[in-house]
């Protein structure tokens, strides 16, 4: 991350916190993440829809969409469109070379939120100790756009994100194909074999897996639950890269080290 991006991200954290009147939260003690289900069943999607349409979530979305004055708080009138979709991330078990491990695992479900003026955001909805909750709000529609691109490029494939470099892929059979520029830089425009991709990610992240000295030092973890305000908007770090475990005011995701954080407004802290 450039110094300019880092400065902008830090400023956004402070500005959004002041705007919403959210007191900075102290970093909570490390804890084991709640495992996500292996697949997005109808029951899971129904629970995610309930969390997305909760009054607290819609109220927070109104503040989110109104944060830059694009629409007034009362006029935002956010709505949830369609059903939640599964969002997969690179699997630590695949990186570790575990026999039969899929390249990606379910990380959360994403619900599409739209404001009255057309702004879009993705609600990241995950199973937590308190049940299914919105754990992050991110601007834009990446999750949905790449799901569509992947289905068109490799029907039946698994669309997934390598969050450490913010790269999106679709995998099927023995191939891994890129869906964005970051993925093209990683595996080439024509993609690569699943075996070659495994070699690359093992080299990049093999020493940062759960249980490693890197993880034990607090640099990798799971979801941190919001302790005060559900889905509270805390920061806009669009396009910036930050440590995976970023401390107070950040959402901690996954278990593979450093993430490139795109356009997120985050809640819950666990360093």
């Amino acid at each position: 991350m450039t110094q300019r991006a880092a400065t902008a991200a830090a400023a956004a954290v402070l500005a959004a916190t002041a705007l919403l009147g959210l007191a900075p939260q102290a970093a909570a003690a490390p804890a084991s993440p709640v495992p996500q289900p292996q697949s997005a069943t109808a029951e899971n999607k129904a629970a995610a829809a309930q969390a997305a349409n909760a009054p607290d979530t819609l109220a927070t979305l109104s503040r989110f969409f109104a944060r830059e004055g694009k629409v007034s708080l009362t006029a935002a009138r956010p709505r949830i469109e369609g059903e939640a979709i599964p969002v997969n991330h690179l699997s630590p078990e695949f990186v570790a070379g575990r026999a039969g491990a899929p390249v990606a695992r379910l990380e959360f479900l994403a619900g599409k939120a739209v404001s009255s003026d057309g702004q879009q955001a993705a609600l990241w909805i995950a199973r937590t100790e308190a049940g299914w909750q919105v754990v992050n709000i991110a601007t834009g529609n990446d999750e949905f756009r790449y799901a569509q691109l992947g289905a068109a490029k490799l029907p039946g494939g698994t669309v997934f994100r390598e969050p450490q470099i913010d790269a999106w892929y679709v995998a099927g059979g023995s191939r891994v194909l890129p869906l964005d520029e970051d993925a093209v830089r990683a595996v080439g425009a024509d993609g690569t074999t699943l075996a070659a991709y495994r070699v690359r990610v093992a080299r990049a992240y093999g020493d940062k897996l759960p249980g490693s000295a890197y993880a034990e030092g607090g640099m990798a973890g799971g979801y941190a639950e919001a302790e005060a305000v559900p889905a509270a908007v805390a920061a806009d770090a669009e396009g910036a890269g930050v440590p995976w475990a970023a401390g107070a005011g950040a959402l901690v995701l996954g278990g593979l080290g450093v993430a490139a954080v795109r356009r997120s407004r985050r809640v819950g802290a666990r360093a």
Side-chain angles (χ1 to χ4, degrees), residues 14-172:
L14 296 175
T17 300
L19 175 65
L20 296 173
L22 300 176
Q25 298 181 27
S32 299
V34 175
Q36 298 305 299
Q38 294 184 354
S39 62
T41 64
E43 181 180 2
N44 294 333
K45 289 182 179 180
Q50 184 174 2
N53 285 282
D56 284 349
T57 300
L58 296 177
T60 299
L61 279 169
S62 292
R63 296 196 299 273
F64 180 86
F65 287 129
R67 70 196 183 279
E68 295 174 352
K70 295 178 180 179
V71 64
S72 71
L73 186 65
T74 55
R77 297 192 300 277
R79 66 185 184 276
I80 307 302
E81 288 191 348
E83 68 175 12
I85 65 169
V87 178
N88 304 297
H89 281 189
L90 174 63
S91 167
E93 291 77 19
F94 177 81
V95 174
R98 185 171 301 175
V103 66
R105 69 180 184 184
L106 182 66
E107 192 74 7
F108 55 87
L109 299 180
K112 181 184 290 187
V114 182
S115 71
S116 62
D117 66 338
Q119 294 182 72
Q120 295 186 28
L123 297 175
W124 295 6
I125 311 163
R127 186 168 64 186
T128 72
E129 291 179 356
W132 285 89
Q133 292 185 328
V134 175
V135 296
N136 186 51
I137 303 175
T139 60
N141 65 348
D142 283 9
E143 290 77 10
F144 309 96
R145 181 162 53 90
Y146 289 120
Q148 293 176 346
L149 287 173
K153 194 167 189 177
L154 189 58
T158 298
V159 175
F160 71 99
R161 180 175 178 244
E162 184 183 331
Q164 297 77 11
I165 60 172
D166 194 24
W168 288 86
Y169 309 86
V170 59

Side-chain angles (χ1 to χ4, degrees), residues 89-105 160-164 194-210 212 244 255-257:
H89 281 189
L90 174 63
S91 167
E93 291 77 19
F94 177 81
V95 174
R98 185 171 301 175
V103 66
R105 69 180 184 184
F160 71 99
R161 180 175 178 244
E162 184 183 331
Q164 297 77 11
L194 191 63
Y197 182 71
R198 156 77 178 86
V199 170
R200 190 188 75 78
V201 296
R203 183 170 59 245
Y205 314 123
D207 61 346
K208 300 176 179 65
L209 293 166
S212 66
W244 200 300
L256 287 175

Side-chain angles (χ1 to χ4, degrees), residues 164-194:
Q164 297 77 11
I165 60 172
D166 194 24
W168 288 86
Y169 309 86
V170 59
S174 62
R175 298 294 297 174
V176 176
L177 304 179
L179 296 178
D180 68 358
E181 293 181 356
D182 295 298
V184 168
R185 284 191 289 268
V187 300
D190 296 326
T192 188
T193 65
L194 191 63

